[in-house]
Structures are given as C-alpha cells and as structure tokens.
C-alpha cells in the first residue's frame, strides 16, 4: 500500500490511524499542500479532486478518508472500526461524520486561503474562525458520548480516527478541550495507544515540527 498525504492534513491523519489500528504496513508518499503539490499533474492523475489522502493498493486508488476507512474495515475486518450491529454502526458513523463533514471541512487550508484572499482575514481572525466552529461541533458531540473509554465501548474505532486529528487542530489553535470532559477522556485514552502516537503529525517523515 501507498498512502499519499500531508503530515498536518486531518484527513490523512485519520487514515494513518486506521492503517495503524489494523496493523497494516504502507509506504508514505508526502504531498506538500503548502507548495500546492496536490494540484500538480502527477498527483491529479492519481486523485482528480486534488485532495489528500489517496491510498493505492494493488493498483486501485482510493480517495476520501471516510471511504478509505470503511474500505479498510471491509477488507481487513479485524480489529473492527465499526460496531457489529446496524444501529451501533449508524451511531458511530453519525459521530464521525459530525467531525469529518461538519467541523473539519470549513477550516481546511483552501477555505482559510479563500477567507484571507477574498475577505482579508488575518491569522488571528482565521484562528478565531477555526475555534468557533470546533467549539460548536465539540459541544454537540460532547452531549452524544457515553461514559465509556471510547465512543463505541472499550476499543477505539472510526470515531476516534476522526476525533484525534480534530483535537490536534483544536490544541494547535489554542483551544482547551477540558471543557469537553468526554472528549478529553477519549483523547487521553487514545494518547496511550501506539497506533495513535505513531500517526501524530510530528511523527511523519514530512513533518516540519
């Protein structure tokens, strides 16, 4: 497998966690978003959307982080990223999509660049934008999490693959997640697991941290 991604990309970070939880080895191919390498012809031939990540397996190209994570669960069932029951899977998908569809997309690099170029937002205003939408999303998620080590029970899965990159972003932009005790509890548990530690941005070959 080849994972084409960027060390700080939340979507790439999600897939790194999923691959690590599954115990799968992969070659990491860095795509520097700050240098617009995602728009280069070589990469858009791989992923016409010009987004990261892209996972290549036996000549097949997979894109969109949630689709990749579900493909991993279908092709490498153990350990499972989703619960066994349809209702359980729907609940975890809803929590994961709350991050991947509602919080993260409006704070990614291309949105921030647009806010700067079209509306003149400075760095602190962009950081305020990010903090506002993370707070809105985390407040809603907090009320949906049960008093268990992880969202689905005693093992991390799809939700945690999405949560940890978003917590990283929150802390990067000066948020204290202590006001979200359930999220903080899950975060602390994940921070003890090698699969999550190895996936952190600062531990990637292209990290500048």
């Amino acid at each position: 497998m080849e994972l084409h991604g960027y060390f700080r990309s939340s979507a790439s970070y999600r897939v790194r966690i999923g691959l690590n939880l599954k115990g799968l080895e992969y070659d990491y191919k860095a795509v520097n978003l700050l240098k617009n390498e995602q728009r280069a012809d070589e990469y858009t031939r791989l992923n016409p959307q010009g987004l990261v990540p892209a996972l290549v397996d036996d000549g097949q190209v997979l894109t969109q982080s949630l689709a990749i994570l579900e493909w991993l669960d279908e092709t490498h069932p153990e350990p499972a990223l989703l619960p066994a029951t349809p209702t359980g899977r729907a609940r975890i998908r809803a929590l994961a999509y709350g991050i991947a569809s509602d919080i993260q997309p409006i704070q990614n690099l291309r949105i921030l660049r647009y806010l700067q170029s079209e509306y003149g937002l400075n760095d602190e205003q962009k950081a305020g934008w990010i903090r506002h939408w993370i707070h809105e999303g985390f407040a809603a998620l907090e009320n949906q999490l049960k008093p268990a080590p992880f969202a689905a029970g005693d093992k991390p899965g799809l939700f945690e693959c999405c949560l940890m990159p978003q917590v990283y972003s929150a802390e990067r932009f000066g948020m204290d997640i202590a006001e979200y005790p359930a999220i903080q509890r899950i975060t602390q548990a994940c921070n003890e697991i090698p699969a999550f530690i190895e996936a952190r941005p600062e531990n990637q070959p292209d990290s500048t941290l």
Side-chain angles (χ1 to χ4, degrees):
M1 289 186 186
E2 291 180 356
L3 177 64
H4 297 252
Y6 180 61
F7 76 105
R8 263 190 175 143
S9 156
S10 292
S12 300
Y13 190 172
R14 292 171 200 150
V15 174
R16 293 196 302 265
I17 295 170
L19 287 164
N20 291 348
L21 286 172
K22 297 287 187 181
L24 298 171
E25 295 184 0
Y26 60 92
D27 293 325
Y28 184 78
K29 306 292 185 180
V31 181
N32 193 320
L33 303 186
L34 298 183
K35 295 181 179 179
N36 293 320
E37 290 178 359
Q38 73 278 18
R39 298 178 184 173
D41 289 345
E42 181 180 0
Y43 185 72
T44 56
R45 282 195 293 270
L46 191 69
N47 182 357
Q49 279 190 295
L51 301 173
V52 293
L55 183 69
V56 183
D57 181 57
D58 195 25
Q60 299 297 311
V61 181
L62 303 163
T63 62
Q64 289 292 340
S65 61
L66 272 294
I68 293 171
L69 289 168
E70 294 224 27
W71 174 85
L72 286 172
D73 225 25
E74 292 172 1
T75 56
H76 301 83
E78 296 298 331
L81 299 179
L82 285 164
T85 68
T87 301
R89 291 195 296 273
R91 174 178 171 270
I92 294 302
R93 285 185 177 115
L95 292 171
Y97 296 169
I99 294 173
S101 299
D102 295 335
I103 303 175
Q104 191 273 329
I106 56 177
Q107 65 169 70
N108 68 22
L109 183 61
R110 58 181 177 165
I111 300 299
L112 298 178
R113 283 175 168 171
Y114 185 81
L115 290 172
Q116 182 176 15
S117 64
E118 296 298 317
Y119 299 103
L121 269 64
N122 60 34
D123 287 345
E124 179 49 39
Q125 288 171 321
K126 288 187 291 184
W129 166 277
I130 290 169
R131 289 191 295 267
H132 170 80
W133 292 114
I134 296 176
H135 169 73
E136 291 282 310
F138 276 11
L141 287 172
E142 180 72 19
N143 294 327
Q144 301 175 66
L145 295 171
K146 299 176 180 178
F150 302 102
D154 61 355
K155 294 181 181 179
L158 185 71
F159 174 70
E160 288 74 22
C161 289
C162 294
L163 176 66
M164 294 306 289
Q166 196 60 64
V167 167
Y168 170 82
S169 180
E171 293 175 339
R172 180 185 171 200
F173 289 98
M175 288 184 65
D176 184 357
I177 65 167
E179 65 179 292
Y180 314 106
I183 287 173
Q184 185 178 48
R185 183 190 69 247
I186 293 172
T187 297
Q188 290 171 341
C190 290
N191 281 335
E192 300 296 321
I193 299 172
F196 289 87
I197 297 169
E198 293 165 8
R200 287 185 60 84
E202 64 267 27
N203 294 329
Q204 305 317 303
D206 58 331
S207 173
T208 58
L209 299 175

